[in-house]
Structures are given as C-alpha cells and as structure tokens.
Amino acid sequence: MRKPLIAANWKMYKTPAEAAAFVQAFDLLVAHHHHADIVLFPSASSLAAVVGTPRSKHIQIGGQDMHWLNEGAYTGATSPLMLKAIGCTHVLIGHSERRQYFNETDTTVNLKLKSALAHDLIPIVCIGEHLNERESDLTAKVLELQVAVALEGIDPTTAHSMIFAYEPVWAIGTGRTATPATAEQAHKLIRGQIAASLTPAIAASTRILYGGSVRPENAATLCCLEDIDGALVGGASLDPNSFAEIIIQSKG
Ligand code: 13P
C-alpha cells in the first residue's frame, strides 16, 4: 500500500556538470526498475542542470531546504515558489545538518512543512536522535517531540503527501547503521505519534524512510521492512552505480 521511495541527498557535493552526468548514467541503470519512487536532492545551484537532463518519469527532483515564505529579504534562501518554478516536486525539511549548523528548530520545521504542503511540494521531514540521547534512553521522547511539534496545526486533510525520514544522527556519515530491529522500533514510534497528532489513517499511509549509512550491501535488509518504506541516502548516492544498486537491492 505504501510504495517504497529511495532518495539521494547529495548535500554540498557536485557541480551542475557533475550532477547532469550522474543523471545520464543513472537513468540507464534504473530505467526499468519501477518498484520504487526515486528522488534526487541536488544542491540549489545544480537543480536547473538536473531538472534539464532527460530522465525516466519515476526519477523526481527536490530541494535540500527552503524558506517558508514566498519571497523576501532573506539572503541565501530559496522559496517554495522558486523550487516549484524550477521543476522540483519534493523538498527536504529539517535535515540534522540544517539543525546542527544552520539553526533549524522544530518550530521552523513546522513552518516549512505547512508551507510545503500549501505549495503542493512533497515534504520529507527529517528527524532523529543524537548518540547521547539514545544512550540516555531518550530516543522515544526526542522522536515524539520532533514529530509532535512538526505537525502542530497541520490540517490532516492536507497531509496525504507528507513523508518522514528517520535519520539517527549517530548513523549519518559514520558507517554505523541502526539494526533493522532498532530502525523498525523507531519507525513504529514515529507512526504512532503521527496517528496521535493527525489521524490513524494518515499515519498508516505516510511513508517513513530510514537514513544513515545506507549502502548497497545493507539496502536489502534496511530499506523496506514492515514499517520502513524506503531510504534517504547520503554518501552512497553520489555514485550512479552505487545508488542504482541500492534501488535494485531495495526490491528485496
Ligand atoms: P549517509 O548515507 O552518508 O550516512 O547520509 C545520510 C543522510 O544524511 C541522508 O540525508
């Protein structure tokens, strides 16, 4: 019922020419693999090059962040209207690197989520606990609070497209992954909080991705379980062969 989604977060990597070359090579590798939706998240300066490179319909494009306002004096920011105008269908919201280095908070995540839904951009809201929080047995509390604040004041009738990504901060770029059982447990908890904040029906249809050191070798066991509906991939998405292999492995 929930179609898997595998997404590539390229972070601050790839020039426009490198990004376009990736799309050309990658498209050939996944053109016949339709079991999952695929979304590429290039840096803002490569969005036009990626959108402009011919590719299969199931490969969509999104922004790595956006402001919640349509326009204004906000140097360095990109608005939802700008993402839409360039051809984006998706947007990442609240990635832990935005939270850590750019003052993103649960409150700005909430503003961005409302704005994305109002503009028909499909949001992927990123949440996850730090290592010290996990070790202090605070994981459930942290995740529930992140989801609850993100969803404050959201009208359930507008939230059908919404996606979450569980990215434990200690697993990002470290080579360390959550075990499938740990990830499943976190995903169930997140789904429970979505049900409590919105409705059980929305919770049942919301895709929740896992992110944190997903690679071709662990994609089959981590990407698609009962409550895991795909993956958000950083480092291993930068190479077309490795990212295509993750797509193929996610078929199970
Ligand atoms: P890595 O796959 O490099 O651990 O990054 C995960 C991530 O942050 C995706 O958004």
Side-chain angles (χ1 to χ4, degrees):
M1 160 190 173
R2 298 186 298 263
K3 186 173 182 186
L5 186 152
I6 312 286
N9 175 9
W10 289 347
K11 308 190 179 185
M12 199 171 71
Y13 292 95
K14 292 194 189 297
T15 63
E18 290 165 347
F22 176 106
V23 177
Q24 281 177 347
F26 177 69
D27 187 58
L28 293 173
L29 300 169
V30 298
H32 301 296
H33 294 281
H34 290 271
H35 63 283
D37 293 331
I38 301 170
V39 190
L40 305 177
F41 290 95
S43 67
S45 64
S46 289
L47 280 173
V50 171
V51 168
T53 304
R55 62 187 191 280
S56 309
K57 271 211 206 66
H58 66 308
I59 306 175
Q60 294 181 299
I61 313 301
Q64 292 179 8
D65 179 44
M66 65 169 206
H67 201 286
W68 56 89
L69 294 174
N70 288 349
E71 58 182 11
Y74 298 100
T75 302
T78 306
S79 84
L81 292 183
M82 294 165 184
L83 290 182
K84 293 271 290 188
I86 209 167
C88 287
T89 49
H90 292 65
V91 62
L92 289 182
I93 296 175
H95 191 278
S96 66
E97 286 147 18
R98 302 294 315 171
R99 294 176 189 255
Q100 187 172 351
Y101 304 121
F102 301 96
N103 296 325
E104 187 87 84
T105 64
D106 291 337
T107 306
T108 56
V109 167
N110 175 251
L111 290 168
K112 291 177 181 187
L113 176 56
K114 285 177 181 156
S115 174
L117 293 172
H119 286 92
D120 245 343
L121 279 163
I122 300 174
I124 301 185
V125 179
C126 304
I127 57 172
E129 81 286 359
H130 287 263
L131 185 58
N132 63 327
E133 293 166 334
R134 172 157 289 274
E135 287 174 343
S136 314
D137 223 4
L138 290 172
T139 301
K141 209 169 157 189
V142 168
L143 295 178
E144 279 166 3
L145 187 69
Q146 287 177 333
V147 175
V149 178
L151 295 179
E152 245 166 46
I154 301 278
D155 174 356
T157 63
T158 66
H160 295 281
S161 71
M162 178 182 73
I163 297 166
F164 272 82
Y166 169 58
E167 299 206 307
V169 179
W170 47 269
I172 295 177
T174 58
R176 208 179 145 185
T177 59
T179 63
T182 304
E184 271 279 289
Q185 193 183 24
H187 283 223
K188 276 192 205 314
L189 206 136
I190 293 162
R191 208 176 290 291
Q193 185 59 49
I194 298 171
S197 292
L198 300 178
T199 67
I202 295 286
S205 66
T206 297
R207 289 184 283 188
I208 306 177
L209 317 180
Y210 169 78
S213 298
V214 174
R215 299 181 302 274
E217 309 82 67
N218 60 28
T221 50
L222 266 178
C223 283
C224 304
L225 301 173
E226 189 191 335
D227 268 295
I228 305 183
D229 309 305
L232 180 54
V233 187
S237 74
L238 292 170
D239 173 76
N241 292 299
S242 136
F243 190 49
E245 191 55 32
I246 289 173
I247 310 282
I248 292 161
Q249 291 299 326
S250 74
K251 201 167 182 176

